Amino acid sequence: MTADDGGTSRAVRDTGEDNSGARGADAAAGRSDREASHKDAPHRGVEGEAADEGGDPIALRLEALILGAERRYTPFQAARAAGVSMDLASRFWRAMGFADIGQAKALTEADVLALRRLAGLVEAGLLSEPMAVQVARSTGQTTARLADWQIDSFLEGLTEPQEPGMTRTEITYPLVELLLPELEEFLIYVWRRQLAAATGRVVQAQDDAEMVDRRLAVGFADLVGFTRLTRRLEEEELGELVEAFETTAADLVAAHGGRLIKTLGDEVLYAADDAGTAAEIGLRLIETLTHDETMPELRVGIALGTVTTRMGDVFGTTVNLASRLTSIAPKDAVLVDGAFAEELARNGDAPKSEAEAAASASPEEVEKYRFALQPMWQRPVRGLGVVEPWLLTRRGN
C-alpha cells in the first residue's frame, strides 16, 4: 500500500493501518520482532516511535479501542483471507488514503471484511471495479476530513482545561470510550439522511442524463482581502474567523434549501436546484456577514447552467463562470450571469427590466417581485469570452 490522501498521521488516527500501530501492539504483547517490522514499514507514526522507547500504554490502548479488533494480518494475508488479489486490495487501500505499511502485521478482521464486501459488490455486478475504487476514495476522503476535525477540534476542546496531574491522553481515553459508540451511530444516521436526500434528487431527474450532467444554479461566496488577513491575524484568530465563516455559510445554505458543495477557507461553493433559492442564499450571506463586525466584506457570483457532478463536487463551464463572476463582483454584492437573470424573470422572481415592469404593470404587481436585476457593463472574462453580468439585489434596496 502507498500513501494517498491521508499520509501516515491520518492513517494512524483514522484507521490505525500504519506500522506504528503494529509496532505498538507488538510492544504491548512483548514480541521480539520489532526490527523485522521496522524493515517492512518505512512510514512510522508517533505511536510507533513511542513503542521503541517503551511506548505510551494509554496511546496504544486508544488505538486498540478505536480499531476494536486485534491486529493479526499483513496486507498479503488480509487480501488472501478476503479472497482478492493483492493488486486489487492495494488499489482499494490506496483509494481510501491509507499509508504504506509494507508487510507489517497491522490489519484486522474489519479490514478483511471491508475488502470482501467491496470485492463482493464487483463480483455481483452491482459495481464495476473502477466504481468500487471510486466509492473507496470518496468515503476515505470524506471520513478523513471528519476524523481530522474531530481530533483537532472536538477532542481538544473537551480535554481543556486538563485535570491537575493528568495528561491529555489520560483524559482522552475515557472520553473516546464514551463518545465512540454515540458518534458512530450519529454518523450512520446523518449518512442515511443525506443518502435519502441525494437519492430523491436523482429520482426526480427528468432523464438519465440529468443524473450526471444536471442544470443547477452554482454560487461562490468569497471573503475580500483574505490574503492580507492571513498576514495580520494570529493563527488562532484566523482559524476562528474561517470557522465562523464556514459555519455561517453552511447554516444559511442548508436553511434555505441549497447544498454546500465545499469550503476552501475564505471561499464556499454551493448549489441549488433553482435560481430563486440560489439568489436568496447569496443575498442572505451578504446581509448576514455585513452585520458582523468581525468579518471582512463578501462578494458572491452565481451562474446557471449544466454541471457535471462527481464524488459530491461539481465541475464545468457553469462553475468556472460563477467563480469568475465572484472575482469581479463589487464588495458586499452579488453578480449573476445572463442565464440566471433570465431564469429569475421567467419564474416571476424578478423583472428583466425595471423600466418595462413599471410601465406595463400596476404597483401591486411590481411589488410581488422578490429581487431586482441591474445590467452591468459587458466585459471579457478569462477563458469564457465576453459576459454581461447582472447585479442582483432585493426589491426596495
Side-chain angles (χ1 to χ4, degrees), residues 8-170:
T8 302
S9 61
R10 178 171 294 165
V12 170
R13 287 185 288 201
D14 291 354
T15 67
E17 294 190 6
D18 185 275
N19 186 50
S20 59
R23 292 166 61 85
D26 288 347
R31 297 180 183 175
S32 60
D33 59 350
R34 287 183 183 172
E35 290 301 320
S37 178
H38 170 74
K39 195 177 299 181
D40 284 336
H43 297 288
R44 300 171 59 214
V46 175
E47 290 84 348
E49 293 171 0
D52 288 341
E53 301 169 0
D56 183 338
I58 298 179
L60 301 178
R61 284 173 57 212
L62 264 173
E63 274 200 355
L65 172 66
I66 294 171
L67 287 173
E70 179 186 355
R71 297 167 179 270
R72 54 182 298 187
Y73 297 103
T74 67
F76 177 79
Q77 291 169 338
R80 185 172 59 183
V84 303
S85 68
M86 188 61 204
D87 178 66
L88 182 58
S90 296
R91 290 182 63 199
F92 284 150
W93 279 317
R94 290 184 189 120
M96 287 184 275
F98 297 153
D100 185 358
I101 63 170
Q103 285 304 314
K105 190 172 286 188
L107 305 184
T108 72
E109 288 288 353
D111 299 301
V112 172
L113 181 59
L115 284 177
R116 191 175 295 150
R117 281 175 170 161
L118 277 174
L121 291 172
V122 175
E123 291 173 4
L126 295 173
L127 294 177
S128 66
E129 191 172 303
M131 180 59 70
V133 172
Q134 191 177 62
V135 168
R137 189 179 305 281
S138 61
T139 305
Q141 290 177 354
T142 303
T143 53
R145 183 179 181 188
L146 175 63
D148 276 346
W149 180 88
Q150 289 174 332
I151 293 299
D152 294 341
S153 301
F154 188 50
L155 287 179
E156 181 180 355
L158 283 178
T159 55
E160 289 285 358
Q162 298 178 23
E163 294 290 335
M166 294 186 70
T167 66
R168 181 185 298 278
T169 307
E170 289 172 327

Side-chain angles (χ1 to χ4, degrees), residues 76-360:
F76 177 79
Q77 291 169 338
R80 185 172 59 183
V84 303
S85 68
M86 188 61 204
D87 178 66
L88 182 58
S90 296
R91 290 182 63 199
F92 284 150
W93 279 317
R94 290 184 189 120
M96 287 184 275
F98 297 153
D100 185 358
I101 63 170
Q103 285 304 314
K105 190 172 286 188
L107 305 184
T108 72
E109 288 288 353
D111 299 301
V112 172
L113 181 59
L115 284 177
R116 191 175 295 150
R117 281 175 170 161
L118 277 174
L121 291 172
V122 175
E123 291 173 4
L126 295 173
L127 294 177
S128 66
E129 191 172 303
M131 180 59 70
V133 172
Q134 191 177 62
V135 168
R137 189 179 305 281
S138 61
T139 305
Q141 290 177 354
T142 303
T143 53
R145 183 179 181 188
L146 175 63
D148 276 346
W149 180 88
Q150 289 174 332
I151 293 299
D152 294 341
S153 301
F154 188 50
L155 287 179
E156 181 180 355
L158 283 178
T159 55
E160 289 285 358
Q162 298 178 23
E163 294 290 335
M166 294 186 70
T167 66
R168 181 185 298 278
T169 307
E170 289 172 327
I171 300 171
T172 299
Y173 186 91
L175 284 172
V176 171
E177 192 171 28
L178 290 171
L179 288 170
L180 190 61
E182 301 300 326
L183 292 177
E184 184 176 17
E185 290 296 325
F186 185 70
L187 175 62
I188 294 172
Y189 155 74
V190 175
W191 170 71
R192 285 182 176 273
R193 268 290 179 186
Q194 294 286 4
L195 189 63
T199 303
R201 290 193 293 270
V202 170
V203 170
Q204 292 172 16
Q206 294 182 5
D207 53 51
D208 290 343
E210 288 189 33
M211 295 174 64
V212 177
D213 297 319
R214 305 179 56 196
R215 185 173 172 81
L216 294 174
V218 178
F220 275 95
D222 177 57
L223 292 175
V224 179
F226 185 77
T227 302
R228 291 193 301 274
L229 281 175
T230 61
R231 294 192 291 264
R232 182 165 55 86
L233 296 179
E234 298 290 337
E235 289 185 4
E236 185 174 349
E237 293 176 310
L238 190 64
E240 290 174 354
L241 184 145
V242 168
E243 184 175 357
F245 171 57
E246 292 183 350
T247 300
T248 300
D251 287 349
L252 285 172
V253 170
H256 295 282
R259 297 188 300 282
L260 187 68
I261 304 299
K262 60 185 174 183
T263 60
L264 303 170
D266 62 331
E267 189 174 63
V268 298
L269 170 63
Y270 70 91
D273 293 326
D274 65 272
T277 297
E280 183 65 30
I281 292 170
L283 291 172
R284 290 274 183 175
L285 285 168
I286 295 291
E287 293 160 358
T288 301
L289 268 64
T290 298
H291 292 93
D292 187 341
E293 295 180 356
T294 66
M295 286 288 173
E297 294 93 345
L298 186 72
R299 51 191 178 191
V300 178
I302 314 175
L304 178 73
T306 301
V307 302
T308 298
T309 59
R310 289 288 187 278
M311 293 174 62
D313 207 343
V314 292
F315 307 92
T317 302
T318 302
V319 180
N320 295 337
L321 178 55
S323 177
R324 299 289 189 272
L325 288 171
T326 305
S327 66
I328 63 175
K331 296 177 181 179
D332 290 333
V334 180
L335 283 188
V336 304
D337 74 321
F340 189 92
E342 289 178 5
E343 186 73 2
L344 284 181
R346 188 178 69 82
N347 291 337
D349 287 319
K352 186 66 179 286
S353 166
E354 291 290 328
E356 290 181 9
S360 61

